Amino acid sequence: PSVSAEGSGRDALGITLRVPNGGAGKPEDYDRHVSFWTEVSMQFRREMKNLKRNKKPLVARYAFSLFMSVLIGVIFLDAGRRNPEDFMNFQAHFGAMIMILMLSMFSTAMPSLLAFPEERPVFLREYSTNHYSVVSYFISRLATEFFVTFPQMLVALGIQMSFGYLYGLLLTLAMGSTALATMLGCSVEDPKMATEFLPILFVPQMLLAGFFVSPHLIPSWLRWAQYLCSLTYAVRLGLAAEFGDCARDGIDSCRGVLTSVQVYELEEWVYWLILVSLFVVFRLAALIILRKKATKFF
């Protein structure tokens, strides 16, 4: 940090420093640190300034979400309002639900996967000089991701479930996907290496979620992996909310898809609990990995 002759200055985060006696104080006078929440606040403000200064990635991220939402909206226009007794109508409705969920996962996880490897040099430099702790850095990143992700969920397809329920489901899935992506991003040092993890991040979730192949057809020795995927629980919650009524009305296509995906294997509240728990577990794992790497580096 830079300090003026008068004994004050600002560090890399913009925090004002006061040096006793113009820099002639005792060593213990310098052994002071700001509070934890001050660290989080200052880092969050810096993240917001970086977003404001470097607008192109953020604009591109929202533009991608907007373009894909419009494209899906045009292709599946009013898919949720058609008679599900006709198989083609049901297929369009089912496809719309799956595309909405996958868009939520794709559009939010990729930036999070690349964020930590790209910022690693800055983090290590500032962590080594005791500017902040790993936990405060992690919380500020989480707050920034939530702030950026929240307005990114765009849907308009005549979906039957309430908008609030759908938005909450998409946001929870997005945050769970970013948690897994963050954990993978913290495990690597090179941004180029992080891009190699994209197939590992997305493909297993799509294969194990149950909409390509019924879970009971997956080999028994691999079936357990579906329970580690946020998309699995989001698909089951979404399909139960969207096709539950028509299944109770006795429409075969609705009952068939709910049975095939094993929607009623667990209670709805259990799915929500697991979905949130996966977010917490992956975030904590990422925090442990990041702290271990930072400590090992020095």
Side-chain angles (χ1 to χ4, degrees), residues 43-248:
Q43 289 179 85
F44 180 75
R45 287 169 57 186
R46 181 174 66 174
E47 293 292 340
M48 292 296 102
K49 289 181 180 178
N50 288 340
L51 290 176
K52 184 177 180 180
R53 292 170 181 167
N54 191 16
K55 298 178 181 178
K56 291 183 179 179
L58 184 63
V59 172
R61 184 171 176 176
Y62 284 139
F64 169 77
S65 296
L66 179 60
F67 172 77
M68 292 303 299
S69 296
V70 171
L71 180 62
I72 294 173
V74 171
I75 293 176
F76 295 99
L77 184 63
D78 290 333
R81 297 190 179 97
R82 298 169 185 166
N83 184 5
E85 294 184 6
D86 185 298
F87 181 75
M88 287 189 293
N89 291 340
F90 172 79
Q91 185 181 38
H93 192 175
F94 177 77
M97 278 300 305
I98 298 302
M99 287 304 302
I100 289 173
L101 293 170
M102 288 201 298
L103 175 63
S104 173
M105 181 178 67
F106 288 152
S107 61
T108 56
M110 287 189 290
S112 298
L113 178 63
L114 300 175
F116 280 92
E118 290 176 347
E119 296 181 2
R120 184 175 182 273
V122 175
F123 165 74
L124 291 176
R125 183 178 68 248
E126 295 178 345
Y127 179 76
S128 67
T129 54
N130 200 29
H131 274 71
Y132 46 74
S133 66
V134 175
V135 177
S136 64
Y137 171 76
F138 211 70
I139 291 178
S140 67
R141 286 294 310 172
L142 174 61
T144 304
E145 288 176 6
F146 183 83
F147 179 82
V148 173
T149 301
F150 188 80
Q152 202 170 342
M153 309 292 104
L154 299 173
V155 288
L157 304 174
I159 298 301
Q160 297 301 305
M161 74 179 84
S162 68
F163 178 79
Y165 187 94
L166 177 60
Y167 194 93
L169 178 60
L170 295 179
L171 185 61
T172 307
L173 172 61
M175 296 307 295
S177 300
T178 59
L180 177 58
T182 300
M183 185 185 72
L184 294 176
C186 290
S187 303
V188 298
E189 301 175 1
D190 188 354
K192 295 181 180 179
M193 180 65 70
T195 59
E196 301 298 327
F197 279 87
L198 286 175
I200 299 177
L201 179 62
F202 296 130
V203 176
Q205 296 210 59
M206 292 188 295
L207 293 177
L208 297 170
F211 52 84
F212 281 138
V213 58
S214 181
H216 77 274
L217 295 178
I218 299 174
S220 57
W221 59 269
L222 185 60
R223 204 172 298 162
W224 60 270
Q226 66 179 310
Y227 300 110
L228 299 178
C229 302
S230 301
L231 186 60
T232 297
Y233 305 103
V235 165
R236 294 184 181 185
L237 286 169
L239 295 182
E242 190 66 15
F243 299 110
D245 289 340
C246 70
R248 286 187 287 271

Side-chain angles (χ1 to χ4, degrees), residues 6-28:
E6 288 76 15
S8 64
R10 290 182 178 271
D11 69 357
L13 293 178
I15 301 175
T16 302
L17 303 176
R18 299 296 179 185
V19 181
N21 302 324
K26 299 179 181 180
E28 56 268 21

Side-chain angles (χ1 to χ4, degrees), residues 19-50:
V19 181
N21 302 324
K26 299 179 181 180
E28 56 268 21
D29 293 333
Y30 297 88
D31 189 20
R32 295 186 299 168
H33 205 76
V34 298
S35 68
F36 172 81
W37 292 112
T38 299
E39 293 180 3
V40 174
S41 173
M42 297 302 300
Q43 289 179 85
F44 180 75
R45 287 169 57 186
R46 181 174 66 174
E47 293 292 340
M48 292 296 102
K49 289 181 180 178
N50 288 340

